[in-house]
Structure formats: structure tokens, C-alpha cells
Amino acid sequence: MVEEVTQDAHGYSKLVGRERKRQSDGFSSSRAAFGNISPPLDAYNIIYVAFVFGGIGFLLPYNSFIMAMDYFKARYPSSPVVFDMSLIYIVVAFLTVLANTLLVETFSLNARINFGYIMSFLTLVFVVVCEIWWEAWGTVTSYTVNLAAVAVVAVGCTIQQSSFYGYTSMLPPQYTQAVMVGESASGVFTSLVRLITKFIINELRGSTVYFFVVSVSTVLTCFAMYHLIRRSDFIQFYMALCERAKTRITLEPTEDAGLIETNDSQYGILKIQTSPPPTSSQLSFANPAYEPSAPVPTYKVEDVVVRGRHSISTNRVGFSSIRRGLQARWEVTKSTYPYMFAICLVYFGTLSIYPGVVSEIESCTLKSWMPIIMISLFNISDLLGKTLASSSARFWTGKRLVKYSVMRLFLIPLVLMCLVPRKSFNFTAEITAFLYSIILGLTNGILGSLPMIQAPSKVDDRHRELTGNMMTLMYMFGLTAGSFLAWSIESCFNFKKDSCTQYESEETNIPILPRPFIFGGTPYPTITSTIPPSATMIIDAANASETSLV
């Protein structure tokens, strides 16, 4: 019926048809209101690739801190730095996504995503320049600064993440999958970059600097990709569909009114007649034959032009707006609670052992390479799982997702058997740990992506963005609970590297790399700080300086 909208001098929308190739997108109810409209095509899958970059962009800063664990463990040998970073990130992220869900209508989608990118970029630049390259602070202050940087990154990245899921909830389901594939691709990408920089550059600090420089450049690339597709016809079409769903009119029976039809095929006109009362041939509140099944006559009018009507909520805050917001969230919860519960369980199980517990699994042969390989295997299998998720989507219902998410929790004690007791592990072979890491990643990819993909299709189109934000809230709740469990496990077992004397006696080399050389300056001789195992580290509380006594 309608395909293109233009406006005349009176502010009414003129409806003009134009042929386009059709494609299935899951928006049949909204598109029915438009008639036979077909969406623009995603030529060469550019939109899909851009959302993959979006998923990469908001998880890459956190993955960068985790994949640089070899540097941070060498810098802070007596501290559970991976556990602390993971816990700080997840707790701050949970509080942020809670605030973002409550205030989703207050700030525009574009403003929230831009804010997240800017915070992530500036924080990564600060860490690589002031903390890793310059080493502006001693050990104690540096530890606090890094945790604060992780917290700031958590705010920016979580705002991006929640906003992107709300964004893709207004698009066909495969674009939500694109974001989740991007999340996994972020882990694979950072793993490969870390492996390459560690292999090519023997100096620990130098390889870490180059690693973070690549991360900063990637964040900029993701930011550019987001703005490249934001105003495309494809995006604007689906945004308009969801905004139209918010502008449906319901006539309340507060006065006698009639709907007058028109023979003009180019305009949809609504005319309310309050006096005199309508005749029996007209449609009105006094004529229950229009909707006889309704206990109280209520008329929903679709496919009409509303002059001067704004589809997006205003910033006015009052009791009525709060009530409507709570009611909308309750409606979403009733429709999607199995998916919310499933995604919460999946990420609770994952964060209970990844990355903290997994990074503590030792190998007397692989030494410091072991945690990097373990996390790389998880990231690769997670990416594979999210790629395969869409092919098995018909098998998975809400109940099945919950059932398999509960069964997956048995991985927690199995992985712990690779660590406890420390003197004689139950499962000592590296292949066992690698197998558990692959299973953990594969199940995380499949069971963690399907709830997020399927949930928006269970609600009305006008609630799709809100559904994406609420699913992200439950996702973050699972991450937070899992991080607290991981922190409790570490506190109970107090993981120490006492199983491999060879690993324990390995010298820790943190090179003092000449700063001009890193950025292409004169290559001064490299000084290496060697700390033997018998050394005692004394930290001067006045200036946090470090002294080695042999």
C-alpha cells in the first residue's frame, strides 16, 4: 500500500508506492501496517560487518586488559590481578547497565554509543602512555590506577553494549547475532595479537605497548564503521518501523466521536466528530458493533497520519511516565523470562571460571604461555559457537535453553579439578584443560547468543529496543554473580604457583624499554630488570619506589 512518505504544506504525509525486492526480516506485523513495503537490501553485507565491528569495539578494551595478563602478573606477582580486574569490570558494568536500562529513553541511542567509544578510547590511550610506556607510578599506585582504568572502561563499554543490543533488537535477528559474533571475534582478535606481539618481541613491556597500540587503533576503526552505516537507508527503514509501532492511536471512550472515511487513496485522514452525535452508520464509541468482543469499546487506529506527533518519549519525568515505563518492562519480562533466566545462567557459569580460574591453570612445560593459550582456545570456540547458533535456532526453545544452561554448570567443578589440590592436581594433562576450555567456549557461544537473538521476536515491535536493554541487564547480572563466585573461589583456595618448581624459579624479566625507541626513536641499549626468586620486594610507602634485595 505504502512505500515512501513525503509531506505536503499542511503537514500530512503523502503516501507513494515504489517497488523494491522483498526479503524476510521478522517484522511482518509492522510491515503489514505499511502495506507491501520491502526494506532496502544490505548490499555486500556491509551492515552486518559493521555490527560485527560494533561487537568487537565494546569488548576489546576489557579483552586487552585480560590478554595482557602476563605483563600484569609480572608487574604485580603477589596480587590476584586478573581476578581483581574481572570483578571490578563486572560490578561497575552491572551498575552501569542498570542505570542505562532505567534511563534508556532519556538519552538518544547515538549519544550513548558515542559516549562509550570516547571513554574507551581515552582510557586505553591513558593506560598505554602513562602506565605501561612511561611507568609514571610505583607498584602500589600503579595497581590502583589500572583498576580505576578498568572501571572507567567498564562504564563506556557497557553503555555501548547495552545500546548496541537495543539497536539490533530493532533490526532483523541476524544483526543481533552479528554483534554477538563480534564479541567473540574481539576475544579471538586480541588473543592472536597478543600471541604475535609476544612471539615477535621478546621484551615484555615492549610487546605490551605494541599490543595496546593495536587495540586503540581497532577501537577507532569500530567507531568509524558505526558512523559509516548509521544513516544508511537500511538502518533508517527499520528504525522507522519500530518508531511507527510507538505511534499507534487508541481512542479512549471519553466522549462520543466518529471516524469519517475518505475516498482519497493518497491520504489517510482521521476526523473526530464530537457534535452532533454520530449516526448509526458511522463508526463510534456508541456503536459497539465495530468491536463487539471488547468489554469496553476501544478503537486502535492504524495507517493514519498524525500531524505533529512525536514517536519518541520526551524527557519529562513524572509519575505517569514512570508508571508507563514500569508497565512496559513488566510486559517484556512476562514475554521473555525464560530467555532472561537462560542468559543469566550461561554467563554466571562462564564468569565463575573464566578468565580468573582458567588463567591460573599451570603447565610446567608451557609456563607463561599456558594461560594465554587457554584463553585463546576459549575465544576461538566461543566464536565458533556463536557462528553456529543461528543454524540450530529452531531446535532451541526457552525451556531447552534453561535446561542446558543448568547442565552446563557442571563444568565449574570439572575445571577446578585442574587446579585443586595444588600439590597434586586431579587432572594434570594439558590436553584435559584445553578440552574443558573448548567446551566452555563452545557452549557459551551457542547458549549465550540464542536468548539474545530470540527474545526480541517475542514482544511487540515498540518494545524491541527495551527488550534488548533488559536482556543485557540479565546478562550483566549473570556476569556479576559469576565474578563474585570466582573471587570467592580464589579467596578460599588462594591459588599460588607452587606446583612447578621450574615455573616458580623462572626469572621475571620486565625490560625498561627506551621510550624514544618504541615510537621510532633512537634505539638506546635496553636495560633488563631481572628479579630472582629469592629477592624480597620492599615498597617505600612515601614514594612507592621499589628496591630489590638479594
Short mmCIF file of all heavy atoms in Angstrom, two decimals, residues 168-200:
data_model
loop_
_atom_site.label_atom_id
_atom_site.label_comp_id
_atom_site.label_asym_id
_atom_site.label_seq_id
_atom_site.Cartn_x
_atom_site.Cartn_y
_atom_site.Cartn_z
N THR A 168 20.20 -3.36 17.71
CA THR A 168 19.97 -4.50 16.82
C THR A 168 18.64 -5.19 17.09
O THR A 168 18.16 -5.93 16.24
CB THR A 168 21.11 -5.52 16.96
OG1 THR A 168 21.24 -5.90 18.35
CG2 THR A 168 22.43 -4.94 16.49
N SER A 169 18.04 -4.96 18.27
CA SER A 169 16.72 -5.52 18.52
C SER A 169 15.67 -4.91 17.61
O SER A 169 14.62 -5.52 17.39
CB SER A 169 16.33 -5.28 19.99
OG SER A 169 17.16 -6.00 20.85
N MET A 170 15.96 -3.75 17.05
CA MET A 170 15.04 -3.11 16.12
C MET A 170 15.31 -3.53 14.68
O MET A 170 14.63 -3.07 13.76
CB MET A 170 15.15 -1.58 16.25
CG MET A 170 14.73 -1.06 17.62
SD MET A 170 14.72 0.75 17.72
CE MET A 170 16.48 1.09 17.84
N LEU A 171 16.29 -4.40 14.48
CA LEU A 171 16.66 -4.89 13.15
C LEU A 171 16.33 -6.38 13.05
O LEU A 171 15.97 -7.01 14.05
CB LEU A 171 18.16 -4.65 12.90
CG LEU A 171 18.66 -3.22 13.02
CD1 LEU A 171 20.17 -3.17 12.85
CD2 LEU A 171 17.98 -2.30 12.02
N PRO A 172 16.44 -6.99 11.88
CA PRO A 172 16.25 -8.44 11.77
C PRO A 172 17.19 -9.21 12.69
O PRO A 172 18.27 -8.72 13.05
CB PRO A 172 16.55 -8.71 10.29
CG PRO A 172 16.20 -7.45 9.60
CD PRO A 172 16.59 -6.35 10.56
N PRO A 173 16.82 -10.42 13.11
CA PRO A 173 17.57 -11.16 14.14
C PRO A 173 19.04 -11.39 13.81
O PRO A 173 19.86 -11.48 14.73
CB PRO A 173 16.81 -12.49 14.23
CG PRO A 173 15.43 -12.19 13.76
CD PRO A 173 15.60 -11.13 12.70
N GLN A 174 19.38 -11.53 12.54
CA GLN A 174 20.78 -11.85 12.22
C GLN A 174 21.74 -10.74 12.62
O GLN A 174 22.94 -10.98 12.78
CB GLN A 174 20.95 -12.16 10.73
CG GLN A 174 20.62 -11.04 9.78
CD GLN A 174 19.20 -11.12 9.26
OE1 GLN A 174 18.31 -11.60 9.97
NE2 GLN A 174 18.99 -10.69 8.03
N TYR A 175 21.23 -9.53 12.84
CA TYR A 175 22.13 -8.44 13.22
C TYR A 175 22.43 -8.45 14.71
O TYR A 175 23.48 -7.96 15.13
CB TYR A 175 21.54 -7.10 12.76
CG TYR A 175 21.48 -7.04 11.25
CD1 TYR A 175 20.33 -7.40 10.57
CD2 TYR A 175 22.60 -6.69 10.51
CE1 TYR A 175 20.29 -7.40 9.18
CE2 TYR A 175 22.58 -6.68 9.13
CZ TYR A 175 21.41 -7.04 8.47
OH TYR A 175 21.38 -7.05 7.10
N THR A 176 21.53 -9.03 15.51
CA THR A 176 21.88 -9.29 16.90
C THR A 176 22.97 -10.36 16.96
O THR A 176 23.92 -10.26 17.75
CB THR A 176 20.64 -9.75 17.69
OG1 THR A 176 19.64 -8.73 17.65
CG2 THR A 176 21.00 -10.05 19.14
N GLN A 177 22.85 -11.37 16.10
CA GLN A 177 23.90 -12.38 16.03
C GLN A 177 25.21 -11.76 15.59
O GLN A 177 26.28 -12.16 16.08
CB GLN A 177 23.49 -13.49 15.07
CG GLN A 177 24.50 -14.64 15.04
CD GLN A 177 24.35 -15.54 13.84
OE1 GLN A 177 23.80 -15.13 12.81
NE2 GLN A 177 24.83 -16.77 13.93
N ALA A 178 25.17 -10.78 14.68
CA ALA A 178 26.39 -10.13 14.22
C ALA A 178 27.14 -9.48 15.38
O ALA A 178 28.37 -9.58 15.48
CB ALA A 178 26.06 -9.09 13.15
N VAL A 179 26.40 -8.83 16.29
CA VAL A 179 27.04 -8.19 17.44
C VAL A 179 27.66 -9.25 18.35
O VAL A 179 28.78 -9.08 18.85
CB VAL A 179 26.01 -7.34 18.21
CG1 VAL A 179 26.62 -6.82 19.51
CG2 VAL A 179 25.55 -6.16 17.36
N MET A 180 26.95 -10.36 18.55
CA MET A 180 27.49 -11.41 19.42
C MET A 180 28.69 -12.10 18.77
O MET A 180 29.65 -12.48 19.46
CB MET A 180 26.39 -12.42 19.74
CG MET A 180 25.17 -11.78 20.36
SD MET A 180 24.16 -12.90 21.33
CE MET A 180 25.11 -13.00 22.83
N VAL A 181 28.67 -12.25 17.46
CA VAL A 181 29.85 -12.77 16.76
C VAL A 181 31.02 -11.80 16.94
O VAL A 181 32.17 -12.22 17.14
CB VAL A 181 29.54 -12.99 15.27
CG1 VAL A 181 30.82 -13.24 14.48
CG2 VAL A 181 28.59 -14.17 15.10
N GLY A 182 30.72 -10.51 16.90
CA GLY A 182 31.76 -9.51 17.12
C GLY A 182 32.37 -9.60 18.50
O GLY A 182 33.58 -9.41 18.68
N GLU A 183 31.53 -9.89 19.52
CA GLU A 183 32.06 -10.07 20.87
C GLU A 183 33.10 -11.18 20.91
O GLU A 183 34.18 -11.03 21.49
CB GLU A 183 30.92 -10.39 21.84
CG GLU A 183 30.00 -9.24 22.13
CD GLU A 183 28.93 -9.61 23.14
OE1 GLU A 183 28.85 -10.80 23.53
OE2 GLU A 183 28.16 -8.74 23.53
N SER A 184 32.75 -12.31 20.30
CA SER A 184 33.70 -13.43 20.27
C SER A 184 34.90 -13.12 19.40
O SER A 184 36.03 -13.49 19.73
CB SER A 184 32.99 -14.69 19.77
OG SER A 184 31.92 -15.03 20.61
N ALA A 185 34.66 -12.45 18.27
CA ALA A 185 35.77 -12.08 17.39
C ALA A 185 36.74 -11.15 18.11
O ALA A 185 37.95 -11.18 17.85
CB ALA A 185 35.24 -11.43 16.12
N SER A 186 36.21 -10.33 19.01
CA SER A 186 37.08 -9.45 19.80
C SER A 186 38.06 -10.26 20.63
O SER A 186 39.26 -9.95 20.69
CB SER A 186 36.23 -8.56 20.71
OG SER A 186 37.04 -7.82 21.60
N GLY A 187 37.56 -11.33 21.27
CA GLY A 187 38.45 -12.17 22.05
C GLY A 187 39.46 -12.89 21.19
O GLY A 187 40.65 -12.98 21.55
N VAL A 188 39.03 -13.40 20.04
CA VAL A 188 39.96 -14.08 19.14
C VAL A 188 41.01 -13.11 18.62
O VAL A 188 42.21 -13.43 18.56
CB VAL A 188 39.19 -14.73 17.97
CG1 VAL A 188 40.16 -15.32 16.94
CG2 VAL A 188 38.25 -15.82 18.48
N PHE A 189 40.56 -11.92 18.24
CA PHE A 189 41.49 -10.93 17.70
C PHE A 189 42.55 -10.53 18.73
O PHE A 189 43.75 -10.50 18.42
CB PHE A 189 40.70 -9.69 17.25
CG PHE A 189 41.56 -8.56 16.77
CD1 PHE A 189 42.14 -8.60 15.50
CD2 PHE A 189 41.78 -7.44 17.55
CE1 PHE A 189 42.93 -7.56 15.05
CE2 PHE A 189 42.57 -6.40 17.11
CZ PHE A 189 43.15 -6.46 15.85
N THR A 190 42.12 -10.22 19.96
CA THR A 190 43.09 -9.83 20.98
C THR A 190 44.03 -10.99 21.32
O THR A 190 45.22 -10.78 21.61
CB THR A 190 42.38 -9.34 22.24
OG1 THR A 190 41.40 -10.30 22.66
CG2 THR A 190 41.69 -8.01 22.00
N SER A 191 43.50 -12.21 21.30
CA SER A 191 44.36 -13.37 21.57
C SER A 191 45.45 -13.51 20.51
O SER A 191 46.63 -13.71 20.84
CB SER A 191 43.52 -14.65 21.62
OG SER A 191 42.54 -14.59 22.63
N LEU A 192 45.05 -13.38 19.25
CA LEU A 192 46.04 -13.51 18.16
C LEU A 192 47.06 -12.39 18.20
O LEU A 192 48.26 -12.62 18.02
CB LEU A 192 45.31 -13.52 16.81
CG LEU A 192 44.44 -14.76 16.52
CD1 LEU A 192 43.72 -14.60 15.19
CD2 LEU A 192 45.29 -16.03 16.52
N VAL A 193 46.58 -11.17 18.44
CA VAL A 193 47.51 -10.03 18.50
C VAL A 193 48.50 -10.21 19.65
O VAL A 193 49.70 -9.95 19.52
CB VAL A 193 46.74 -8.71 18.65
CG1 VAL A 193 47.71 -7.54 18.91
CG2 VAL A 193 45.92 -8.43 17.40
N ARG A 194 47.99 -10.68 20.81
CA ARG A 194 48.89 -10.88 21.95
C ARG A 194 49.90 -11.99 21.66
O ARG A 194 51.09 -11.88 22.01
CB ARG A 194 48.08 -11.22 23.20
CG ARG A 194 48.92 -11.24 24.47
CD ARG A 194 49.58 -9.90 24.68
NE ARG A 194 50.54 -9.90 25.77
CZ ARG A 194 51.67 -9.20 25.75
NH1 ARG A 194 51.99 -8.48 24.67
NH2 ARG A 194 52.48 -9.21 26.78
N LEU A 195 49.46 -13.08 21.05
CA LEU A 195 50.38 -14.16 20.71
C LEU A 195 51.45 -13.68 19.75
O LEU A 195 52.63 -14.02 19.89
CB LEU A 195 49.60 -15.33 20.11
CG LEU A 195 48.72 -16.15 21.07
CD1 LEU A 195 47.85 -17.11 20.28
CD2 LEU A 195 49.58 -16.91 22.07
N ILE A 196 51.04 -12.89 18.76
CA ILE A 196 52.01 -12.41 17.75
C ILE A 196 53.00 -11.43 18.37
O ILE A 196 54.22 -11.54 18.16
CB ILE A 196 51.26 -11.75 16.58
CG1 ILE A 196 50.47 -12.81 15.80
CG2 ILE A 196 52.23 -11.02 15.64
CD1 ILE A 196 49.54 -12.23 14.76
N THR A 197 52.51 -10.47 19.15
CA THR A 197 53.42 -9.49 19.75
C THR A 197 54.36 -10.15 20.77
O THR A 197 55.53 -9.78 20.87
CB THR A 197 52.63 -8.36 20.44
OG1 THR A 197 51.69 -8.92 21.37
CG2 THR A 197 51.88 -7.53 19.41
N LYS A 198 53.85 -11.12 21.50
CA LYS A 198 54.70 -11.81 22.48
C LYS A 198 55.75 -12.68 21.78
O LYS A 198 56.88 -12.80 22.27
CB LYS A 198 53.82 -12.67 23.39
CG LYS A 198 54.55 -13.34 24.55
CD LYS A 198 53.58 -14.11 25.41
CE LYS A 198 54.30 -14.86 26.53
NZ LYS A 198 54.91 -13.94 27.51
N PHE A 199 55.39 -13.24 20.63
CA PHE A 199 56.33 -14.09 19.90
C PHE A 199 57.40 -13.26 19.19
O PHE A 199 58.58 -13.63 19.18
CB PHE A 199 55.56 -14.93 18.88
CG PHE A 199 56.42 -15.85 18.08
CD1 PHE A 199 56.90 -17.03 18.63
CD2 PHE A 199 56.77 -15.53 16.77
CE1 PHE A 199 57.71 -17.88 17.88
CE2 PHE A 199 57.57 -16.37 16.03
CZ PHE A 199 58.05 -17.56 16.58
N ILE A 200 57.00 -12.13 18.61
CA ILE A 200 57.93 -11.32 17.82
C ILE A 200 58.84 -10.49 18.72
O ILE A 200 60.04 -10.35 18.46
CB ILE A 200 57.16 -10.42 16.84
CG1 ILE A 200 56.43 -11.28 15.80
CG2 ILE A 200 58.10 -9.42 16.16
CD1 ILE A 200 55.60 -10.48 14.83
#
